[in-house]
Amino acid sequence: MIKMKLSDVNVKLAAICVAGIVINIAGANVTRALELPVYLDTIGTVFIAVVGGYMPGISVGFLTNLIGSEFNLEEMYFGLVNVLVAMISAFFARKGYFDKFPKPLLIIPFIALVTGFLGAFIEELVKDYDSFKSLITFREHFFSNFINEIPDKGLSVLLSYLLYRIFPDDLKELFKLIGKMQAPLSPEMKAELKKKNSFVLSLRTKMLFNLISVTVVVAFFISFVSYSIYQRTSMREHLRIADGITTMVVNEINPNRVDDYLTLGRAAPDYEEVERALYRIRASNRDIIYVYVYKIMEDGCHVVFDLETTEVEASQPGEVEEFDDEFKKYLDDLLAGRPIPPIPSDGKYGLLLSIYKPVYNHQGQCVCYAAIDFSINDLSDYGKVFIARVIALFSGMLIFILVLALTFIENNIILPVNTMAYCARNFAYDSEAAREQNIEHMKNLEIKTHDEIENLYAAFLKTTSDSMHYFENLKRSKIQLAVMDELAHKDALTGLKNKAAYNEDTAKLDADIFEGRAAFAIIMIDVNYLKKVNDTYGHERGNEYLINAAKLACTIFGEEIVYRIGGDEFVVILDGDNLARCEQDVAAIRAVIEKLRADTKLEPWEKVSAAVGVAYYTSGDNTADEVFKRADADMYRNKLAMKAVRRD
């Protein structure tokens, strides 16, 4: 794939997604114009979901519905259907159902089932409530939708499959970069990042939980507030209608004949005419359950008018009804002829809203109350339908917003942080080349979130680079210090440890003596006739003579424990496992010296001659120097003895 800027990639992918929306809208308009029995408004949605995954597919599905509906509320209810089509298509595409025919055929019934059910549900919601509450009607509607969805979604899936097969592979690869804020990852890094981490709750899980929680809370709050507003508005509208109807009833009552109506009943002049008018008022609105006129007195409600219903037989004029429990708290107002507020009740007649209006005569006296019982049973049912409509309207939008937010979080926070952690965790310190390669890997991440994450990446990269430079400088310094330390503790001529090294090691022996764990021996070697060799054969031969002496000591004792502490003086420190061979080694070096003396084939500077003395640490020694002095004294005795037997 040709390397492009991520901004160019996003522009190209956005253009492809817009093309998907255009395909959806065009398919819907063509089928509508030709009056075809299919919709073909999800071809672009399925195709983009298959190629690009959840986020682009859901975006195309949701925006198609939003734009295609021209913000028509009833059409916008179906946004959830298009979003679910995208989610189902993306899910099956990830499972490989679009890789080879005839696997796509298996998806068609599943999509048709989901869209058929939701389509029927939403279509019932946008109708009146009586249609929705019929389960039989809904089942028939769902079955009809499912049958119709099979050819529609079948064509959409098959056309999307054909488009997917001919779609260029390089453009398919581009969709993997959608929303990315950094360079593509290597296969090794992808595999590593897919592994489960050891955290109980990862940052992705925490952010996902918080995002879903906030989304659910916001959705619940919006639904609750919308429902509350709807309920209050509906209740006010019911009250307004009920109040107006009650006023109509009041206007039909002649206050001057109320007493005649009570005493004469139907025989009173114009009684039946007023009763017919009240029946007409009740018939004007199906929510009016009861219409009646009472004169409120101490002993109860005296019936003036009471309209008969199919469920309840009407009371006759003059009969006395007992006060309902809901009205007892307003009894004083009713007896005084004052207005009372609407009274809701839930009894054997269902949810009712009772409206009482006083009827006044010309003197302003209340002669009776005109009343209606207004049914509000449907108010609760309408509220439930309203909530369902709100959920249907906002669920698609919430899924769309949730997917966008999750994609943003993944690409702007989770992925950059995890890739930086991967580079840090797999940083190799084995060699300079490996370190440089790791720095290059970090630079190749190219994180460009344009926020604090990018600042963190820049600081991370700079700190790592600076640390590596510091590491290299420190390494060079250590090497230089090691070289200097070696030079400071090494004899230039023989390469053995020098006086300074001997002093440091004997200081350690002093510490062992102080702590009571010392066990060692010191061997003193003093080279004979060095001055004679220098004077006779020159200093070069004298140096060679010393080097041969050093080699002899190293051959017997080992280079690590031999020191040159003076011009012709060498010292050996034996401790630990070496201590047991002290006598054997001393005897060995003396034997070699004697053998060299007798070899006539050797040059004078090759015939190494040296006096050897040895001393062991005892509990009476306070320092290593005391042992050294005894070894030096023993060496001197050996030197005298050697001079005594020489004849040259």
Side-chain angles (χ1 to χ4, degrees), residues 189 417-429 438 441-442 445 460 464:
M189 191 178 296
V417 169
N418 281 344
T419 51
M420 284 189 283
Y422 170 84
C423 288
R425 187 168 55 247
N426 293 278
F427 199 95
Y429 295 87
N438 290 140
H441 285 166
M442 292 180 186
L445 292 179
F460 173 67
T464 306

Side-chain angles (χ1 to χ4, degrees), residues 146-259:
F146 176 70
I147 297 300
N148 292 331
E149 287 289 320
I150 290 289
D152 177 60
K153 295 305 181 284
L155 282 172
S156 297
V157 169
L158 292 176
L159 289 173
S160 299
Y161 172 74
L162 292 176
L163 287 173
Y164 176 74
R165 299 302 297 177
I166 64 175
F167 197 66
D169 290 336
D170 58 341
L171 292 180
K172 291 178 184 177
E173 289 297 318
L174 283 183
F175 269 99
K176 296 178 181 179
L177 301 178
I178 193 166
K180 296 293 188 295
M181 295 296 164
Q182 62 187 80
L185 306 182
S186 65
E188 296 79 9
M189 191 178 296
K190 286 182 181 178
E192 182 67 23
L193 294 181
K194 285 182 180 178
K195 294 180 181 179
K196 292 184 179 180
N197 56 51
S198 58
F199 303 118
V200 177
L201 288 176
S202 66
L203 180 60
R204 180 188 287 105
T205 304
K206 291 176 182 177
M207 298 189 77
L208 178 62
F209 174 77
N210 290 332
L211 184 60
I212 293 176
S213 299
V214 170
T215 303
V216 170
V217 169
V218 170
F220 176 80
F221 178 76
I222 291 175
S223 300
F224 175 77
V225 171
S226 300
Y227 176 74
S228 299
I229 294 173
Y230 172 81
Q231 284 286 76
R232 287 197 295 269
T233 303
S234 297
M235 181 61 77
R236 283 198 296 268
E237 183 64 17
H238 278 68
L239 284 173
R240 186 185 66 80
I241 294 171
D243 186 75
I245 293 171
T246 309
T247 300
M248 293 172 61
V249 174
V250 169
N251 291 335
E252 295 294 333
I253 305 300
N254 186 343
N256 297 321
R257 293 189 176 180
V258 169
D259 290 336

